[in-house]
């Protein structure tokens, strides 16, 4: 059976058993605890915990999974084993309080023996054998005997590590049962059940686990003393997982997942691109081909969901995988960009089953090629720097690369630490990964202020607050009204529940409070839209809360954040809630304009444009999207024209609440990072702009007023950002530009009060002529054409030469000049060195508030001194770094005030070098 047939047969089998067949959830889940979906049950996690309900109680799916972060990190094993992957598909069937062990076991046995027709005599099952006070799963053992007729010798009891599953420290858990298959020929005595646990050999002989049935029957709860208890679930459930790649290798009669029709074509493509033959061995070339095949699948699927290579988060993981694949291509001798071709073949192989691959082909291929081209530019440079580091380590008899050096490669050249580690191991060196982590932590600390305060996930208090809301969800009335009445169901101060909050006057700060009501017109921050501001007043008392932000921490919960401006507010109080009308209206305009902008960008730039993020606030909108290059002025104008043309038509904004499948049939765009329920809100701006969106919007497009783009810039590799304004904010922006033009005209003394291009161009030409003349004069003076006072602090050329010293038997000179440009500074350093003969010369200057340094070493001395090594600590003194050839190095730093301290370091370095080289005293 081909893999596509296996997938279809699995889903059709469970559909016939009354299961709803669900499409794969996204790889990028809306779950703060997960970077990627790493198991088939991830889309149903909230269903198992009771936070979400579905209209069905049985489900089956083939889920896209990535395991490359956290405890599920298989990256280092990829290509080196027959089974490990970064990307794989997990076939699964699920029961949400419907059937339990007997039905799950019976269906599993029918599928593997009757549909897949696996020989029964080659099958063994395992059950939980009991451990740490937990009883053995005798029920499952009895059911396997009853359903499959298996004897005790083929039902093996194992411990918690193998046959007990739990979601986390707390939550649903239970015993599990695994199915194992004997691979390879059967010995004369029959299938060797007594050798269970023997891992498959390279020839494919051994026991192979391919399906896990999890019986979720307990909830693990924390006690106050730090211990845990298991409490039976009121509705036990089923969660199974069968790797498609694994079962494909069984049904296709191969010993490695890489030999299935899912992966072998990709391996062969890597082989063809390298000009080498794939031998299916554990040799380096074959490992590299398998790595490329695996990583191409992961990259294609993750890119299809809008993730792009970046320096943090999911984007960093993607970049790490892509660059790792490119590195393996480099090892194979592939001299030109190739990875995009392998990713293209992934689309050809799997695009029929996963339409998002075909829909985003251009984007996937272009991102792969662009990332490889960018990485290849730095790969040779990084390898050269590493070899320099390794040379120094060898000279000192050391074998470990410092963490700071590894971090510099990551920070400056984009080398992930695992790539540096691989290269180091090839050269016989280790890497101080602990030191790297310390450097990375310091870098994160420096940038921590840019992170959202609540990105770490949802606090437990918010889930508890949601439990207090009647009906299990706050009723949001804000689509139709901006004010209304509700009742306080929870108050939180500093994350703790209180029954009452009061302000008693005085000069101290007003009490901060979070208020949850049973209904509200306030929109909670989400989908890129900021939370509403406004006021909340007690109807039967004096309490008044100024709402500064509104959050939606989890589905069904709306939290009003603000401060108590007067009186008292108690749980149970009826309140009046009023949204700030002006800010809500401005936000509506910007949100509707964002939808039109999304459509217009696609129309002008191409269908590869995908939303990467947005921010909709009252004063402006921001929209991030996938695009490989800066927009031209003409493209920006065309986007503005398209949006404003739609605004002038003043079409009504149509809102519909539809089942998700019906919304998709209408062509509604969905954002992969967003999580949608079974019923969704569809916003239609025009026939061209139909999107799923839960935000607040203008009632007609004319309400937007006027749309103006104010900036366009890159924010990450392959990601651009547009910022724009609408309505009165757009009018204010245009007036500010007019004031600026008047000021420019006045400063340039342009006739008519308007800045004329020819007048400003003439002034610019004049400035360039004067700067050129100044630079030439400075050059002549610095090189000795203007007398003793010519070169500034260091004096003329002869005065500079007079300050040269002899250090450790070497002529040396460290001097400051007023030369501003780098070329003249290098020429001055060369002239001074040539005048001195065999010498080491350092020249520094201050220009634009920064320090510049040039260090040159006579060719005859480069065996003893390397310019790049000498300049490094000197550059550090001015807050910079530098490098270059053995005979010449350049550096710069922001701390020009310390140039006078930095220059004498040359003499110290030379003296220390001479002392180290001197023979020991007798």
């Amino acid at each position: 059976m081909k893999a596509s047939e296996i997938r279809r047969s699995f889903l059709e089998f469970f559909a016939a058993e009354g299961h709803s067949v669900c499409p794969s959830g996204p790889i990028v889940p809306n779950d703060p605890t997960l970077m990627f979906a790493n198991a088939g049950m991830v889309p149903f996690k909230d269903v198992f915990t009771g936070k979400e309900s579905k209209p069905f109680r049985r489900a089956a799916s083939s889920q896209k999974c990535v395991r490359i972060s956290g405890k599920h990190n298989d990256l280092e094993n990829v290509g080196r084993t027959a089974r490990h992957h970064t990307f794989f598909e997990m076939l699964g069937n699920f029961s949400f309080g419907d059937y339990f062990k007997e039905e799950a076991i019976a269906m599993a046995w029918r599928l593997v023996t009757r549909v897949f027709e696996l020989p029964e005599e080659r099958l063994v099952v395992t059950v939980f054998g009991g451990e740490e006070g937990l009883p053995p799963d005798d029920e499952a053992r009895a059911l396997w005997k009853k359903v499959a007729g298996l004897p005790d010798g083929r039902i093996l009891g194992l411990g918690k590590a193998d046959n007990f599953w739990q979601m986390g420290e707390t939550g649903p858990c239970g015993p599990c049962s695994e199915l194992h298959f004997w691979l390879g020929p059967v010995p004369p005595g029959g299938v060797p059940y007594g050798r269970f646990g023997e891992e498959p050999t390279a020839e494919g002989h051994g026991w192979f686990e391919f399906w896990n049935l999890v019986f979720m029957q307990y909830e693990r709860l924390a006690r106050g003393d730090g211990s845990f208890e298991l409490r039976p679930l009121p509705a036990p459930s089923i969660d199974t997982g069968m790797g498609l790649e694994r079962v494909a290798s069984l049904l296709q009669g191969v010993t490695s997942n890489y030999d299935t029709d899912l992966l072998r074509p990709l391996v062969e493509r890597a082989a063809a691109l390298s000009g080498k033959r794939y031998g299916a061995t554990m040799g380096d070339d074959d490992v590299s081909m398998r790595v490329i095949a695996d990583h191409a699948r992961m990259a294609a699927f993750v890119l299809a969901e809008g993730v792009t290579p970046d320096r943090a988060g999911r984007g960093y993981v993607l970049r790490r995988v892509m660059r790792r694949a490119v590195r393996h291509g480099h090892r194979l001798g592939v001299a030109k960009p190739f990875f995009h071709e392998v990713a293209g073949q992934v689309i050809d192989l799997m695009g029929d089953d996963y339409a998002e691959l075909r829909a985003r082909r251009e984007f996937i291929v272009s991102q792969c090629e662009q990332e490889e081209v960018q990485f290849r530019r730095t790969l040779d440079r990084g390898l050269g720097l590493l070899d320099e580091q390794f040379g120094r380590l060898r000279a000192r008899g050391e074998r470990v690369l410092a963490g700071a050096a590894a971090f510099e490669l990551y920070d400056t050249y984009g080398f992930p630490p695992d790539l540096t580690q691989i290269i180091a191991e090839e050269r016989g060196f280790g890497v101080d990964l602990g030191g790297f982590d310390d450097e990375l932590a310091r870098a994160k600390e420096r940038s921590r202020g840019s992170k959202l305060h609540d990105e770490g996930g949802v606090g437990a208090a918010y889930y508890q607050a949601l439990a207090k809301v009647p009906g299990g969800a706050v009723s949001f009335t804000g689509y139709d009204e901006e004010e209304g009445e509700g009742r306080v169901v929870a108050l939180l101060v500093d994350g703790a529940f209180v029954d009452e909050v009061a302000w008693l006057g005085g000069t101290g700060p007003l009490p901060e409070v979070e208020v949850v009501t049973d209904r509200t017109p306030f929109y909670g921050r989400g989908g890129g839209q900021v939370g509403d501001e406004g006021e909340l007043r007690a109807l039967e008392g004096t309490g008044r809360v100024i709402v500064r932000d509104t959050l939606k921490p989890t589905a069904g919960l709306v939290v009003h954040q603000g401060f108590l401006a007067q009186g008292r507010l108690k749980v149970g109080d009826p309140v009046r809630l009023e949204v700030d009308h002006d800010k809500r209206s401005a936000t509506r305009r910007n949100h509707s304009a964002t939808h039109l902008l999304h459509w217009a960008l696609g129309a002008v730039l191409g269908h590869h444009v995908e939303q990467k993020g947005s921010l909709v606030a009252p004063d402006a909108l921001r929209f991030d999207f996938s695009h490989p290059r800066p927009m031209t002025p003409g493209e920006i104008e065309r986007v503005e024209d398209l949006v404003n043309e739609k605004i002038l038509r003043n079409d009504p904004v149509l809102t519909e609440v539809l089942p998700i499948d019906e919304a998709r049939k209408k062509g509604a765009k969905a954002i992969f990072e967003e999580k949608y329920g079974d019923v969704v809100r569809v916003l239609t701006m025009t026939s061209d702009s139909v999107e799923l969106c839960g935000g607040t919007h203008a009632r007609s497009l004319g309400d937007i007023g006027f749309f103006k783009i104010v900036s366009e810039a890159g924010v990450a590799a392959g990601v651009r950002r547009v910022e724009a304004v609408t309505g009165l904010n757009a009018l204010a922006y245009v007036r500010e530009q007019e004031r600026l033009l008047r000021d420019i005209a006045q400063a340039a003394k342009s006739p008519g009060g308007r800045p004329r291009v020819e007048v400003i161009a003439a002034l610019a030409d004049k400035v360039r002529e004067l700067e050129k003349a100044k630079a030439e004069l400075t050059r002549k003076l610095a090189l000795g054409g203007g007398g003793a006072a010519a070169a500034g602090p260091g004096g003329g050329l002869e005065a500079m030469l007079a300050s040269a010293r002899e250090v450790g038997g070497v002529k040396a000179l460290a001097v400051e000049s007023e030369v501003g440009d780098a070329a003249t500074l290098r020429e001055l350093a060369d002239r001074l060195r040539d005048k001195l003969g065999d010498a080491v010369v350092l020249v520094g200057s201050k220009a634009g508030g920064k320090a510049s340094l040039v260090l040159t070493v006579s060719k005859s001395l480069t065996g003893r001194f390397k310019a790049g090594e000498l300049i490094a600590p000197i550059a550090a003194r001015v807050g910079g770094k530098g490098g270059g050839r053995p005979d010449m190095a350049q550096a710069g730093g922001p701390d020009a005030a310390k140039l006078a301290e930095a220059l004498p370091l040359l003499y110290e370095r030379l003296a220390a070098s001479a002392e180290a080289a001197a023979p020991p005293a007798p």
Side-chain angles (χ1 to χ4, degrees), residues 613-655:
S614 67
L615 176 65
V616 180
D619 54 343
L621 67 92
R622 188 180 74 206
F623 189 80
D624 296 348
F625 59 98
S626 52
H627 189 55
R629 56 176 175 75
M631 294 176 67
T632 66
E635 289 170 338
I636 292 174
E637 289 179 4
R638 181 60 183 147
V639 168
E640 289 178 332
D641 290 345
L642 288 176
V643 173
N644 283 301
E645 286 169 9
K646 295 291 187 184
I647 292 171
L648 289 174
R649 287 178 53 175
N650 197 28
D651 290 336
V653 175
L654 176 63
T655 303

Side-chain angles (χ1 to χ4, degrees), residues 60 140 144 155 230 243 267 291 321 408 413 456 461 496 573 688 691 702 874 893:
W144 279 112
I155 306 172
L230 289 184
V267 173
V291 168
V321 168
E408 182 180 354
Y413 297 97
D573 280 353
D688 308 304
E691 294 191 32
I874 302 170

Side-chain angles (χ1 to χ4, degrees), residues 102-326:
E102 182 166 7
E103 294 90 338
I105 289 172
M107 286 186 284
W109 190 252
R110 286 200 302 274
L111 178 67
V112 299
T113 60
R114 298 181 189 176
V115 178
F116 291 161
E117 297 182 346
L118 291 175
E120 293 185 21
E121 66 274 11
R122 287 177 175 254
L123 292 168
V124 158
V125 299
T126 60
V127 297
F128 179 54
E131 188 178 345
E132 296 180 5
L134 292 170
D137 192 359
D138 292 333
E139 181 185 7
R141 178 181 290 276
L143 287 169
W144 279 112
K145 289 182 182 181
K146 172 185 173 182
V147 169
L150 294 175
D152 280 325
R154 290 170 60 190
I155 306 172
L156 308 174
L158 301 181
K160 287 184 67 177
D162 295 292
N163 281 88
F164 196 92
W165 178 92
Q166 61 187 56
M167 184 176 291
E169 281 295 309
T170 59
C173 60
C176 57
S177 189
E178 294 180 334
L179 284 81
H180 299 254
F181 187 84
W182 173 258
L183 290 170
V186 177
V191 175
Y193 305 118
R195 285 159 54 190
F196 177 79
E198 184 178 296
E199 291 289 329
T201 63
E203 295 76 28
H205 303 171
W207 287 102
F208 175 56
E209 182 267 318
F210 65 96
W211 200 0
N212 187 18
L213 316 180
V214 177
F215 310 130
M216 286 197 281
Q217 64 188 86
Y218 303 112
E219 183 175 13
R220 193 170 193 256
L221 301 170
R223 295 192 182 103
D225 60 2
S227 63
F228 297 90
E229 67 171 308
L230 289 184
R231 187 175 298 170
L233 286 173
S237 299
I238 292 293
D239 161 24
T240 84
M242 174 196 289
L244 176 61
E245 291 76 9
R246 284 178 167 247
V247 73
S249 69
L250 285 183
L251 298 180
Q252 293 175 14
V254 296
T255 60
S256 168
N257 294 2
Y258 289 94
D259 290 331
T260 66
D261 65 331
L262 285 165
L263 284 154
R264 186 59 183 255
L266 303 176
V267 173
E268 294 292 353
R269 186 62 176 270
L273 288 166
S274 69
K276 298 182 178 181
R277 180 180 174 277
Y278 177 63
T281 70
M282 293 308 296
D284 288 345
D285 286 351
D286 289 347
V287 168
S288 291
M289 293 172 196
R290 291 193 290 267
V291 168
I292 291 167
D294 172 272
H295 290 8
R297 289 210 308 168
M298 185 272 192
F301 274 92
V302 173
L303 285 165
E305 297 199 5
V307 179
T308 55
D310 205 344
R311 293 181 60 177
R314 296 183 178 99
Y316 168 65
V317 174
L318 173 61
R319 168 166 285 169
R320 182 182 176 195
V321 168
M322 294 172 76
R323 292 190 167 188
R324 197 169 184 270
V326 173

